Amino acid sequence: MTCRALIIQRLVWFGLALLTFLTLLVLFFIIGYISAKGAPVITPEFLFSLPVRMGKEGGILPTIIVTLYIALLAIVVATPFGVGTAVYLTEYSRESALTRIIRFGADALAGVPSIIFGLFGFILFVIRLKMGWSILAGGLTLAMMVLPTIIRTSEEAIRAIPYQFREVSYSLGGTKSQTVWRVVLPNALPGILTGVILSLGRSVAETAAVIFTAGSTLRLPRTILDPGRTMAVHFYILAREGLSMERAYGTAFLLIIVILLINAFSYLLMFRLTRRLK
Amino acid sequence: MVEKIVARDLKVMVYKKPVLQNINLTVMAQEILAIIGPAHSGKTTFLRSINRLLENQPGFIRSGELLLDNRDVKQWDVDLLRRRVGMIFATPIPLPGTIFDNVAYGPRLKGIRNMHSLAEIVEKSLRAAFLWDEVKDRLFSSALRLSGGQQQRLCIARTLAVEPEVVMMDEPCSGLDPISTAQIEQALQELKANYTFILVTNNVKQAARVSDRTAFFLNGELVEIGPTAQIFTAPKDKRTDDYVSGRIG
């Protein structure tokens, strides 16, 4: 190798390492800053008691519960639709105008700003379908928002399965639906779960779409027809209204922890699933 | 001898281009019929039109007659047809999962759930494919950890577990070493009493070693079919002679 080439290689290596380092630096700075400000706020009382005086005092228990309700509801609703659409696109249809329209629709949906989903959910679920501000309306709105992610990741996962696996199943007398259930979906599961977990994270973190649809009451919800305030919305209101920056950071810190936990859990799950298949 | 599979004027077109034509041949029950011929001579297409895997690919049109037990394969219920006519692919394709799950796949499709019956079928099939002794202690470990030859015998066991009458093998030894090949050929000899085999092979010597009769395909047409000994020692067609003696192909 010439001296010049060696120098260029070194420079490129250094440049790439620097970029990686800067990216990590920003990430750790954000997490570190929020942890430093938020971690001291986290006490059992903060986690498990009701807010007092609009959240200036007391805990954030209702927002934790509402967040879990809404995010889980969104996933439970969006997953069957998303995976079903992906199966239809990959297994039950040939490339045609229809599949292209569905795919275009999903991509367009993925690009719609979440506040538009919020407004749409407000008009459709809250007003038209008379659900009022509720966990149900919020969850359904989020389900629409994450649907394209689930569709496209599931589709990719299903497409990645070798065609020969399907042929083996057919050659042994398997019907199409048996093949989908026994070969395609189990093997695509890790990929499908990636999309689902990604969507769960986005649902937990979403503010704009839920503030219009689930409301922002701090009461503890009894059913999914009750309104509620998610952690992200709580954080937004605490910070914007200047109610308590300290508690806003506490909420933000908890939000980050929840999302990290979801990611860690999903990696673990994925690891176990792929190991089972190998 | 019973006629198991009969092709009369079988023709297959792919996007209006013929890939198989004027195929007239009969596969007898309990024989091993070898199909030899260079690449793109239509051997695989012939197998795939018997179990109708062709139908999953766009652009295929089949005409002429293709009978299994005197009934056109088109009239068979496709799942039943494929249970009667098993297929082994050129590359071993174990499904991700355990050895047991692979062999039990077909029986489970039929609705057999009982673990005891499944275990019985799995053992019987693995024994028939001469794989039992090598894997009996690790039935529940991954099938992907087996060697290539073992994987192919696993695929044979998986096919046998469905209790087919005809087993089609599409160059089953093309990726295997000579010892694995010998093991599979041995299995073939033992199994032929109970099954009808169609063995597509690129390996002319393999056809000579294991088959009762041999068919020679070239450019989508059947050039010659006859007892293996005759095809290899006194072929009627010059092209067959050239191919089996290694002058073309």
Side-chain angles (χ1 to χ4, degrees), chain A residues 6 23 28 66 68 89 104 107 119 124 164 179 235 251 274:
Chain A
L6 200 66
T23 312
F28 283 114
V66 169
L68 290 180
L89 284 175
F104 175 77
D107 288 346
L119 209 59
L124 179 67
Q164 287 94 316
T179 304
F235 164 79
T251 312
T274 41

Side-chain angles (χ1 to χ4, degrees), chain A residues 109-130:
Chain A
L109 215 56
V112 173
S114 60
I115 191 134
I116 307 282
F117 278 105
L119 209 59
F120 179 76
F122 177 70
I123 295 166
L124 179 67
F125 298 124
V126 178
I127 310 278
R128 259 297 144 83
L129 299 176
K130 298 193 173 69

Side-chain angles (χ1 to χ4, degrees), chain A residues 167 169-170 178 183 187 278, chain B residues 48 79 82 96 105 109 142:
Chain A
E167 287 213 314
S169 175
Y170 293 141
Q178 283 176 323
V183 176
N187 286 298
K278 287 239 163 63
Chain B
R48 294 170 67 90
D79 313 321
R82 287 174 185 160
Y105 186 82
L109 289 180
S142 170

Side-chain angles (χ1 to χ4, degrees), chain A residues 9-266:
Chain A
Q9 200 180 19
R10 285 265 164 81
L11 276 176
V12 169
W13 181 87
F14 181 75
L16 291 176
L18 190 71
L19 289 175
T20 313
F21 177 73
L22 282 176
T23 312
L24 285 178
L25 196 71
V26 171
L27 177 72
F28 283 114
F29 178 72
I30 295 174
I31 292 180
Y33 186 79
I34 290 173
S35 304
K37 290 246 183 182
V41 183
I42 307 288
T43 57
E45 193 230 335
F46 184 68
L47 293 179
F48 300 116
S49 66
L50 298 175
V52 181
R53 293 179 61 213
M54 302 290 287
K56 264 185 194 168
E57 291 159 26
I60 58 165
L61 180 68
T63 69
I64 297 176
I65 291 172
V66 169
T67 303
L68 290 180
Y69 266 161
I70 289 193
L72 286 178
L73 184 66
I75 292 307
V76 166
V77 173
T79 304
F81 280 102
V83 176
T85 307
V87 168
Y88 173 76
L89 284 175
T90 50
E91 305 291 317
Y92 285 92
S93 63
R94 292 241 160 92
E95 277 304 308
S96 67
L98 180 66
T99 60
R100 275 192 293 274
I101 290 170
I102 294 174
R103 227 172 260 124
F104 175 77
D107 288 346
L109 215 56
V112 173
S114 60
I115 191 134
I116 307 282
F117 278 105
L119 209 59
F120 179 76
F122 177 70
I123 295 166
L124 179 67
F125 298 124
V126 178
I127 310 278
R128 259 297 144 83
L129 299 176
K130 298 193 173 69
M131 292 177 191
W133 278 323
S134 60
I135 290 172
L136 182 63
L140 292 177
T141 306
L142 285 183
M144 292 193 304
M145 193 184 80
V146 298
L147 194 57
T149 312
I150 295 183
I151 293 176
R152 293 315 292 264
T153 45
S154 305
E155 198 189 342
E156 292 307 314
I158 291 173
R159 273 189 205 289
I161 294 166
Y163 185 69
Q164 287 94 316
F165 286 3
R166 299 173 174 88
E167 287 213 314
V168 164
S169 175
Y170 293 141
S171 77
L172 294 166
T175 62
K176 189 143 208 162
S177 59
Q178 283 176 323
T179 304
V180 167
W181 277 112
R182 288 157 191 264
V183 176
V184 175
L185 286 180
N187 286 298
L189 198 58
I192 292 173
L193 276 177
T194 311
V196 171
I197 300 291
L198 215 64
S199 305
L200 190 60
R202 277 185 62 202
S203 304
V204 166
E206 181 54 37
T207 318
V210 289
I211 200 165
F212 282 111
T213 50
S216 58
T217 177
L218 273 170
R219 275 195 304 269
L220 202 61
R222 273 185 305 269
T223 70
I224 58 169
L225 293 171
D226 286 340
R229 184 190 289 192
T230 65
M231 283 155 71
V233 171
H234 187 54
F235 164 79
Y236 169 73
I237 291 173
L238 283 181
R240 203 193 60 163
E241 311 275 324
L243 288 167
S244 164
M245 280 317 275
E246 191 197 25
R247 266 144 211 283
Y249 276 117
T251 312
F253 177 68
L254 201 62
L255 204 55
I256 288 183
I257 295 289
V258 168
I259 289 172
L260 285 181
L261 279 180
I262 289 174
N263 278 311
F265 174 73
S266 58

